[in-house]
Amino acid sequence: MKSTNFPIGIFDSGIGGTSIWKEITTLLPNEHTIYLSDSKNAPYGEKSKQEIIDLSVKNTEFLLAQNCKLIVVACNTATTNAIQYLREKYNVPFIGIEPAIKPASLKTKTNKIGILATKGTLNSALFEKTSSTINKQIIVKETIGTGLVELIEEGQINSDKMKSLLSLYINPLLNEGVDCLVLGCTHYPYLIPQIRELVGNKIEIIDSGQAVAKQTKVVLEKNLLLKTDTKKGKHQFYINKNKDVLAMMISEKSDFISIDEKEF
Ligand code: DGL
């Protein structure tokens, strides 16, 4: 029996899932969390489905060994390729993240939406299934964000290389007339200021972070796993590569945090 005081486990191929961790800890400030950043193996988006499943199993077992009461797969690529397998294999609730194309399909006025995501996400059967449920009149322009995750992992968020890659990927979408851009990778919310600079106020940028946090709360409540006391949560981060960029990304939330750089 899991205790309400046990931590929420969160994993991503790297540091991008901290964008989800921030939403979760903002909504649920009293929950303890353990975040696993598998940066040594990033990017997942270029790997086969089986490799993504194997890495997701490794990450899940690491978190379960530390008594996590629920696991958030804070990675679109791991969710779309591995969550079904994880749900069948482990007896713990899993929350996943998928590109928000459904909300975008309800917002678009031009009936054209753009999505920026990894190859692994866009090629997955789960993404295809979700895409098939949206209104057929809506055209979804898919773009693989090759190289973006690697640059973010290196902390090159404002570099010229980042700016030129973003122009290369997003300008064609603007020329096609999209009015919504879905960020289908948890690393990409860190690029919103740069994307905004590129697109001005012409398009809506949509990501799933807040929806994931809300869903985490709903599932904790449903399973009677919500922490009941009002003491602030503690947050443990594990990363299997240099921790400097991760530390920088979560620096504004530095209370009750510790970061451990180790092999796993
Ligand atoms: N943050 C991961 C995602 O949401 C990045 C994937 C990758 O490592 O390629 O898909």
Side-chain angles (χ1 to χ4, degrees), residues 12-244:
D12 180 34
S13 62
I15 57 183
T18 55
S19 62
I20 305 300
W21 172 82
K22 285 179 189 174
E23 298 289 358
I24 291 172
T25 49
T26 300
L27 187 67
L28 301 166
N30 304 331
E31 292 289 338
H32 302 306
T33 66
I34 299 184
Y35 182 98
L36 182 157
S37 175
D38 194 16
S39 299
K40 194 178 79 182
N41 292 305
Y44 282 11
E46 299 294 316
K47 297 188 192 300
S48 69
K49 182 178 171 80
Q50 192 56 50
E51 285 174 310
I52 297 168
I53 289 175
D54 292 345
L55 290 167
S56 300
V57 165
K58 165 188 75 74
N59 298 339
T60 299
E61 295 204 343
F62 183 91
L63 293 170
L64 290 180
Q66 300 187 65
N67 277 332
C68 289
K69 60 183 177 182
L70 170 146
I71 292 186
V72 179
V73 182
C75 174
N76 291 261
T77 313
T79 299
T80 51
N81 285 278
I83 203 161
Q84 196 184 346
Y85 181 90
L86 298 174
R87 284 187 171 134
E88 280 163 18
K89 188 171 162 83
Y90 300 101
N91 186 23
V92 65
F94 283 90
I95 308 290
I97 178 161
E98 278 190 74
I101 55 170
K102 268 194 211 162
S105 73
L106 301 174
K107 282 190 172 159
T108 179
K109 298 210 165 52
T110 60
N111 276 353
K112 284 183 190 156
I113 62 182
I115 163 160
L116 192 60
T118 70
K119 187 163 124 196
T121 294
L122 294 174
N123 288 345
S124 67
L126 188 57
F127 178 71
E128 199 176 312
K129 194 170 153 207
T130 308
S131 306
S132 71
T133 63
I134 68 170
N135 184 334
K136 296 282 170 289
Q137 283 178 339
I138 293 169
I139 297 168
V140 182
K141 295 275 167 198
E142 297 176 10
T143 301
I144 298 174
T146 308
L148 299 180
V149 166
E150 290 91 321
L151 287 178
I152 294 167
E153 288 287 316
E154 288 166 18
Q156 289 200 50
I157 289 175
N158 285 308
S159 66
D160 290 344
K161 200 162 169 203
M162 177 63 85
K163 285 181 187 153
S164 64
L165 277 186
L166 287 175
S167 315
L168 183 71
Y169 299 148
I170 293 173
N171 283 339
L173 298 175
L174 293 179
N175 295 338
E176 296 274 0
V178 310
D179 62 352
C180 292
L181 175 64
V182 176
L183 303 183
C185 171
T186 55
H187 282 69
Y188 300 166
Y190 286 109
L191 303 175
I192 289 175
Q194 290 76 351
I195 296 175
R196 202 30 92 206
E197 213 171 285
L198 198 65
V199 304
N201 289 324
K202 279 184 291 207
I203 64 171
E204 185 144 3
I205 301 170
I206 300 171
D207 75 82
S208 319
Q210 284 184 357
V212 170
K214 282 187 197 150
Q215 181 65 3
T216 303
K217 187 172 179 208
V218 167
V219 174
L220 284 174
E221 275 168 347
K222 212 170 93 191
N223 288 277
L224 307 178
L225 286 171
L226 206 58
K227 185 162 166 274
T228 44
D229 68 61
T230 51
K231 283 192 216 126
K232 284 248 173 289
K234 292 197 187 104
H235 308 291
Q236 173 69 54
F237 287 76
Y238 293 101
I239 181 162
N240 50 14
K241 225 178 164 177
N242 187 310
K243 66 180 181 191
D244 295 350

